[in-house]
Amino acid sequence: MYLTITDAAAALRAGETTSVALTETAYAAADAHDAALGVYLARYDETALAAAAKADAELAAGNDRGPLHGIPLGIKDIITTEEGETTAQSLILDRSWGRNVDAPVVARLRAAGAVITGKTTTMEYAIGTPDPDKPFPIPRNPWNTAHYPGGSSSGTGNGVAAGLFLGGLGTDTGGSIRYPATSCGITGLKQTFGRVPKAGCVPLGYSYDHIGPMARSAADCAVMLAVLAGHDGRDATSVDRPVDDYTGGLTGSLAGLRIGFDPLLGNSPMTVPELEPALRAAVAELVAAGAEIVDVRLPLYDELTATTMVGMTAEAFAYHRPDLRDRWLDYGAGTRMAVATGALVASGDYVQAQRVRRVGQRKVAELFAEVDLIVTPTSACGAPEVEKLSLESIVDALHTPYWNALGNPAMSVPMGFTDDGLPLGLQIIGKPFDEATVLAAGYAYQQRTSWHRRLPPL
């Protein structure tokens, strides 16, 4: 079993494995564990194995499409693929929506030689909590199946952690890449807003949504982002600027970097005692890699976190209003209540939230004039128990929504465990469009630690 995309890519080129073998191993893991974990909504066994055979033939003929060539990947089921329908894990979404069409991000992965293994579970429409009364899997955490794997990119997160594929796509509106990344002990990157096109993705909050890579390591995320990034005119928020070299800066050295550190220990009632020593140990590794650490305080923390929740639910309600009126009970209980709160956001409140975002962007830009990166915890605690899950407990625990209000790139990397064996994550944040430095810091940290290579006790 190859744990990382980079490991598997090297093995493919050394003749130590094949794409067919990687894909068959991934499906064998799904056969063994998916009933307990709830990773897949749909599997594409036939087309995936055909794509893997084609990848092997191309490599044998000297046609190498790059480091994703022959690598099995999962796709969150709010992103369209040509193999089948997109459901958003909901009874509501018209099954003809985006049918048999690859979203630009999927088309780019496929052009890079990746093998698409199937569609993965999510919160319904990427918001709310799982509803056992609906006909969809309840995703579970591979470190302890009584616990949640985080969401809303649940199936991509627990699928990577459990070896059902080597990487995949998630989306992030308030933390939905970084939350399952920290909960499952993997790496996940929310890139700068507009860096990766969102056409072909079911929207949640139009001005907060991101698509990004999830994998075991920062190096894997760098490889994936190099393929995903770039302008696409079908997305009005897509930014037309050159794609940076995300892998060239992965040297393992952070010499000359100033990193701001805000532990946020007083900002969540969910904070566990294991968090602070894990944070201090992680920061020590960054120093050992050459970084200078300076204490900072994130400006307008509560206000910007609130603007994400206010703005996201208002934008979600605008999209869902007709179906909420006509098909209320077809929504899962957690989703309908989360989205319906958007009806309580007055137009003045929404406008004020956007004004706060602009002020926050200016203040955070001033902070980034003094530092190159900022690090915080991703979450205040390990993943909650499924039976005790609520949207309030999720929001109270997460330190991710702040960055959706601002649009900066933010990545979660594993940094240890709670006393009961649940993963904790370190969040690394950069200046807009400086994903390369975020990835370089994550890579340097992972060169000095092994948390990202730990396997759950399946």
Side-chain angles (χ1 to χ4, degrees):
M1 179 180 178
Y2 296 93
L3 297 184
T4 70
I5 291 171
T6 50
D7 289 345
L12 279 169
R13 285 153 185 79
E16 298 169 359
T17 190
T18 64
S19 178
V20 168
L22 290 173
T23 306
E24 289 177 338
T25 299
Y27 279 137
D31 292 340
H33 302 301
D34 196 21
L37 296 178
V39 172
Y40 278 114
L41 285 171
R43 280 173 48 168
Y44 301 149
D45 298 46
E46 183 177 347
T47 55
L49 288 167
K54 178 183 177 182
D56 287 333
E58 288 179 342
L59 284 172
N63 180 12
D64 190 336
R65 297 174 184 243
L68 293 182
H69 196 150
I71 300 297
L73 303 176
I75 307 297
K76 182 178 181 178
D77 194 28
I78 62 169
I79 302 170
T80 61
T81 57
E82 67 179 18
E83 287 88 348
E85 62 190 23
T86 297
T87 74
Q89 198 160 328
S90 177
L91 299 174
I92 302 290
L93 186 65
D94 184 342
R95 294 304 190 255
S96 67
W97 190 91
R99 177 180 288 171
N100 303 123
V101 175
D102 278 342
V105 285
V106 176
R108 291 174 182 184
L109 292 174
R110 215 184 292 275
V115 174
I116 307 303
T117 63
K119 302 293 278 295
T120 63
T121 52
T122 172
M123 295 173 176
E124 182 181 17
Y125 279 106
I127 193 171
T129 54
D131 188 338
D133 293 331
K134 301 303 180 189
F136 301 106
I138 303 294
R140 304 275 178 164
N141 195 306
W143 293 93
N144 183 332
T145 55
H147 288 251
Y148 192 51
S152 63
S153 307
S154 310
T156 307
N158 64 359
V160 170
L164 276 63
F165 31 78
L166 293 178
L169 292 184
T171 65
D172 195 310
T173 308
S176 290
I177 287 172
R178 291 159 290 157
Y179 180 31
T182 186
S183 297
C184 294
I186 67 166
T187 304
L189 173 67
K190 179 198 83 66
Q191 32 66 43
T192 307
F193 185 79
R195 176 72 286 185
V196 172
K198 301 190 298 293
C201 179
V202 180
L204 174 57
Y206 296 97
S207 68
Y208 299 85
D209 291 341
H210 303 69
I211 298 175
M214 301 173 71
R216 282 199 172 270
S217 72
D220 290 354
C221 288
V223 165
M224 291 184 67
L225 185 61
V227 171
L228 299 171
H231 180 251
D232 189 292
R234 288 166 288 184
D235 174 10
T237 67
S238 177
V239 176
D240 190 2
R241 60 179 288 159
V243 175
D244 295 331
D245 179 4
Y246 299 119
T247 59
L250 306 183
T251 65
S253 172
L254 300 181
L257 283 185
R258 283 171 55 87
I259 300 179
F261 174 46
D262 188 343
L264 296 173
L265 295 174
N267 290 78
S268 170
M270 311 288 286
T271 302
V272 294
E274 303 95 312
L275 184 65
E276 183 172 11
L279 279 171
R280 300 295 176 187
V283 167
E285 296 294 352
L286 297 175
V287 171
E292 176 189 356
I293 303 295
V294 296
D295 291 332
V296 299
R297 194 74 177 160
L298 295 180
L300 299 175
Y301 181 84
D302 292 336
E303 293 84 351
L304 286 164
T305 297
T307 65
T308 291
M309 307 317 297
V310 168
M312 174 178 64
T313 54
E315 293 178 9
F317 179 73
Y319 180 86
H320 288 279
R321 181 175 180 174
D323 286 326
L324 285 169
R325 181 188 60 226
D326 298 336
R327 302 181 63 183
W328 176 261
L329 293 178
D330 285 341
Y331 283 94
T335 299
R336 65 181 178 241
M337 293 307 297
V339 175
T341 60
L344 305 177
V345 178
S347 59
D349 297 330
Y350 182 78
V351 170
Q352 184 68 358
Q354 307 316 306
R355 294 176 65 197
V356 172
R357 291 176 80 179
R358 301 290 88 77
V359 173
Q361 286 173 337
R362 290 197 297 270
K363 288 185 174 294
V364 170
E366 292 170 2
L367 180 57
F368 270 112
E370 304 298 326
V371 297
D372 301 294
L373 296 169
I374 294 170
V375 295
T376 75
T378 309
S379 175
C381 57
E385 293 181 51
V386 172
E387 300 302 323
K388 299 178 181 178
L389 190 63
S390 69
L391 193 59
E392 292 79 9
S393 66
I394 292 171
V395 173
D396 282 346
L398 289 179
H399 294 303
T400 56
Y402 182 92
W403 299 105
N404 292 82
L406 300 170
N408 293 60
M411 181 171 68
S412 181
V413 297
M415 69 167 184
F417 294 86
T418 64
D419 289 345
D420 52 0
L422 295 168
L424 294 169
L426 177 72
Q427 188 173 209
I428 306 171
I429 307 100
K431 301 172 185 177
F433 298 101
D434 194 14
E435 290 87 358
T437 303
V438 173
L439 290 160
Y443 176 81
Y445 175 71
Q446 290 178 338
Q447 289 295 102
R448 307 184 66 86
T449 60
S450 62
W451 302 118
H452 65 295
R453 290 185 173 270
R454 303 289 180 94
L455 295 175
L458 294 173

